[in-house]
Amino acid sequence: MKHRDQIRQIAKKVNKSGQRSEMREKALPADEVMAILERTRERDYSYDRFLSTMCTRPHPIAIKAHDMFLETNLGDPGLFPGVAGLEEEVVRMLGELLGCPLARGYISTGGTESNIQAIRAAKNESGKCGGNIVVPASAHFSFDKIGDLLSLEVRKAELDSQLRVDLSSVESLIDEHTAALVGIAGTTEFGQVDPIEELSDLALEWGVHLHVDAAFGGFVLPFLDRSFAWDFSLPGVKSITIDPHKMGLATIPAGGLLFRNQECMNALETETHYLTKARQASLTGTRSGAAAAATYAVMMHLGREGFREMVGYCMDLTDHLVRGAKEIGVEPLIEPVMNVVALRVPEPSKVRERLMDRDWHVSITREPNRALRLILMGHMSHENVDLFLKDLKEVLSE
Ligand code: 0PR
C-alpha cells in the first residue's frame, strides 16, 4: 500500500469524532467547527477523577487574564511593554517568595524548559565542555533530556531510606568536571525534599552551581506549617525552577525560572539584532504573555493567605487519604511531606490498571521504589477520596 493511503487509513480510524483528516478546500461555518470541538472535548477525561497529575484547573482569574493577553508575545517585549511589566512583577514576587527579592528570571514554558536553562547557564558559566551534572536518582526525566541536549553526563546519586538524596553518594560523584549539582524540593514521585542546606555547602565547597528543582514544591513549601531550608536564603543556591502551572493555579504553559543574580542570567543571553530588545535569555523565541499575565493575576488575587489556604486544603486531603489507606492496611512509602503520596501495594501496575478500569487516573513510581503514586490537587474532594478508597479496597481484595 502506498504511504499516503496508509496514512489516510490510520487517520480514518483515529478520527472517531468525525473530523476530516485533510485540510478542507471550502470553509466550514464556525458553529460547525465548534460543534466538532465540543464533541471532541467530551472525549477528554475530567479532573475530578485525576490523582495522577500535577496540573489542575486554573483559577478563574487566571483564565480571564490569559484570555485578555492571549495575543501577546514576550519574545518581542518592546511591542508589549504592558505584559513585559507584568512578567517583571511576577519575577519580583517570586524572588521575594524564594528569599531573594533581587532575583532575575523569566516565565518559561514549564519545568523542563526551566531545568534545561538552569543547567545551560551553569555549563556556560563554568566553561566546562563534556562535563557532568550530579542529580538525585529521583530527578525528573527532564534531566535525561538535558544530558542529551547539552552533552553532559548525568550522574545519579542514590537515595536514603526517606527517599532524599544521599549526601555521601553525591560527594562520591562530584569531581572537577562537575558543572552543576541538582537538589529537588518536591520530588515528582514522592514529594520529598532533598537536604538542600547540605547540598548548598557542598556546592560552595566545590565552587559549582546548585540548581533547585521546585517545579512542584515551589508553590507548596512556602505555605506549609513545617518550614524547610531550601531556597535562595541558602548561599549555594544559584537557580530555582518553580512552576505556576502546577500548584500556582495559573494556566499552562506558565513555568518559572529564577537566578540569584544577573550574572547567571547573562550566561544565557544571545543577540537578537532586529527585535525590540537587543538580547534574549529565554530558550524559546516567541513565548506566551498570557501565561505571565495569568500568573500575575493569581498571585495578586490570592496573596500568601490564599495560597496558604489552598495548600492547607491539599494537605488535609492528603492526611485524609493516608488515614483511610492505613485503615484498609495500605501504608505510604514515607510519611508525606507535601500533597504527593506513594502507597505500598502489591503489584502496583495491576492495581493501577484495575483502578483505571474504574475511571481513576493514578500513576506508579519507578523501581526500586515501585508504588502507587497519588497527587492530591485542589480539584480533588474529600468525597472523591472516600470513593477512591472504597474502590482501592475492592481492587486489592479482587
Ligand atoms: N521537575 C519536577 C520536579 C516535576 O515534577 C516536573 C513535572 C518537571 C520538572 C517538568 O515539568 P514540565 O512537565 O512542566 O516540563 N512533573 C509532572 C510529572 O512528570 C508533570 C505532569 C503534569 C505529568 C501533569 C503529567 C500530568 O498529567 O508527573
Side-chain angles (χ1 to χ4, degrees):
M1 200 186 307
K2 284 213 190 84
H3 184 59
R4 216 180 142 74
D5 291 338
Q6 243 174 351
I7 290 180
R8 268 202 201 128
Q9 274 213 345
I10 294 168
K12 245 193 212 163
K13 274 190 208 149
V14 170
N15 279 330
K16 289 188 191 125
S17 56
Q19 295 108 309
R20 291 170 63 99
S21 51
E22 286 171 354
M23 183 151 180
R24 301 166 53 85
E25 186 56 37
K26 293 203 183 316
L28 189 65
D31 57 348
E32 286 184 45
V33 175
M34 289 315 292
I36 294 174
L37 293 183
E38 272 161 31
R39 276 203 308 277
T40 308
R41 184 69 178 108
E42 279 166 16
R43 283 168 47 209
D44 293 334
Y45 297 107
S46 156
Y47 269 101
D48 303 338
R49 311 279 289 191
F50 290 177
L51 284 156
S52 60
T53 173
M54 291 187 154
C55 292
T56 190
R57 290 193 189 100
H59 191 286
I61 204 165
I63 299 173
K64 276 194 189 151
H66 191 106
D67 208 29
M68 191 182 282
F69 286 86
L70 199 63
E71 64 188 35
T72 64
N73 171 18
L74 281 169
D76 202 356
L79 299 184
F80 303 101
V83 76
L86 288 185
E87 183 184 38
E88 277 178 25
E89 283 295 309
V90 170
V91 168
R92 254 197 292 276
M93 285 192 274
L94 289 175
E96 196 255 328
L97 186 68
L98 303 180
C100 184
L102 298 178
R104 307 304 306 264
Y106 75 95
I107 297 303
S108 70
T109 60
T112 300
E113 180 185 336
S114 297
N115 286 342
I116 292 171
Q117 288 281 83
I119 302 301
R120 188 177 144 225
K123 182 187 169 189
N124 290 352
E125 257 186 317
S126 74
K128 289 173 190 166
C129 280
N132 66 72
I133 56 172
V134 180
V135 310
S138 53
H140 184 259
F141 54 78
S142 49
F143 289 97
D144 295 324
K145 299 182 186 177
I146 290 168
D148 186 28
L149 278 168
L150 302 179
S151 299
L152 291 166
E153 181 196 348
V154 182
R155 298 185 174 172
K156 296 190 179 172
E158 288 167 19
L159 305 184
D160 66 15
S161 63
Q162 286 303 297
L163 307 175
R164 283 182 293 240
V165 75
D166 183 87
L167 288 166
S168 56
S169 177
V170 173
E171 274 191 279
S172 72
L173 295 174
I174 306 182
D175 62 22
E176 67 277 19
H177 304 296
T178 302
L181 287 186
V182 174
I184 309 169
T187 58
T188 307
E189 290 164 299
F190 314 111
Q192 184 55 285
V193 181
D194 285 325
I196 311 287
E197 197 162 4
E198 288 80 355
L199 290 175
S200 161
D201 293 343
L202 265 180
L204 292 174
E205 192 185 310
W206 281 85
V208 295
H209 182 117
L210 172 60
H211 173 63
V212 175
D213 181 357
F216 184 75
F219 275 101
V220 180
L221 290 167
F223 308 113
L224 286 176
D225 294 336
R226 186 175 162 194
S227 83
F228 289 84
W230 67 279
D231 60 12
F232 287 120
S233 54
L234 302 171
V237 175
K238 291 291 186 297
S239 53
I240 298 181
T241 289
I242 172 171
D243 272 357
H245 75 211
K246 295 190 170 73
M247 284 293 281
L249 305 183
T251 49
I252 295 172
L257 172 61
L258 277 99
F259 290 99
R260 173 177 290 280
N261 53 41
Q262 183 64 42
E263 286 93 81
C264 299
M265 271 279 272
N266 289 347
L268 290 175
E269 288 190 338
T270 50
E271 284 179 20
T272 49
H273 316 282
Y274 54 87
L275 299 186
T276 47
K277 251 182 113 182
R279 302 185 72 76
Q280 185 175 86
S282 55
L283 182 61
T284 63
T286 302
R287 78 197 158 88
S288 167
T295 308
Y296 176 84
V298 185
M299 290 186 78
M300 291 295 282
H301 181 58
L302 290 186
R304 287 175 187 259
E305 206 175 53
F307 274 102
R308 230 174 271 127
E309 200 176 303
M310 184 268 296
V311 169
Y313 173 75
C314 295
M315 292 310 291
D316 258 8
L317 284 174
T318 306
D319 290 346
H320 188 66
L321 176 94
V322 172
R323 223 175 306 121
K326 286 182 178 174
E327 275 167 23
I328 58 169
V330 176
E331 292 290 324
L333 249 55
I334 55 166
E335 282 306 318
V337 174
M338 49 185 82
N339 46 331
V340 180
V341 181
L343 293 178
R344 205 187 294 279
V345 293
E347 299 188 89
S349 311
K350 234 188 222 162
V351 172
R352 178 197 196 186
E353 262 173 45
R354 299 262 155 83
L355 287 167
M356 301 275 262
D357 290 343
R358 292 170 184 240
D359 273 345
W360 292 110
H361 296 264
V362 295
S363 54
I364 48 176
T365 57
R366 287 172 281 190
E367 291 295 355
N369 299 299
R370 261 253 192 280
L372 196 64
R373 168 188 179 249
L374 308 165
I375 301 142
L376 286 306
M377 299 294 289
H379 56 252
M380 199 32 70
S381 63
H382 286 77
E383 294 73 36
N384 271 7
V385 168
D386 287 337
L387 289 175
F388 171 77
L389 285 167
K390 191 170 153 281
D391 279 342
L392 178 63
K393 188 177 174 190
E394 284 176 17
V395 163
L396 290 174
S397 59
E398 269 169 16

